[in-house]
Amino acid sequence: MSAAKADAHKDIEKLSFEEALAQLEKIVGQLESGEAPLERSIELYERGTALKAHCEARLKAAEAKVEKITLSANGEPVGTAPLDVD
């Protein structure tokens, strides 16, 4: 992606996961409709790609924060441990 195109998508970094996902869903709908001219379709696709990457990064960050509950031998919760995402 060129520097100009990267700057055009700079606002995506500030979006929450839900906002980015909503925009991505709207873009998919527009592309599936087939009503956008070719040049606009390319712009939409590029923004969609940037939104998808942003959503994936947000999900990965959330996964890193998720913890699993550790249990004692008798099944009582005793604490938490980082989630293994391998």
Side-chain angles (χ1 to χ4, degrees):
M1 189 180 308
S2 71
K5 288 180 183 175
D7 288 342
H9 303 299
K10 196 89 168 143
D11 66 305
I12 291 173
E13 296 173 11
K14 298 175 185 165
L15 297 175
S16 70
F17 173 82
E18 293 79 10
E19 292 167 332
L21 185 59
Q23 285 190 24
L24 183 56
E25 288 172 344
K26 185 176 178 182
I27 286 173
V28 169
Q30 290 174 318
L31 290 172
E32 286 179 343
S33 77
E35 294 179 11
L38 178 60
E39 192 62 34
R40 179 68 180 142
S41 292
I42 293 169
E43 291 169 4
L44 288 168
Y45 182 83
E46 289 172 343
R47 183 161 179 87
T49 301
L51 286 163
K52 178 181 175 282
H54 178 72
C55 287
E56 289 173 343
R58 288 282 191 159
L59 283 174
K60 188 169 188 163
E63 285 178 348
K65 293 178 182 177
V66 171
E67 296 179 314
K68 63 182 178 183
I69 297 173
T70 57
L71 303 175
S72 67
N74 64 358
E76 295 292 320
V78 293
T80 60
L83 178 67
D84 292 329
V85 288
D86 293 332

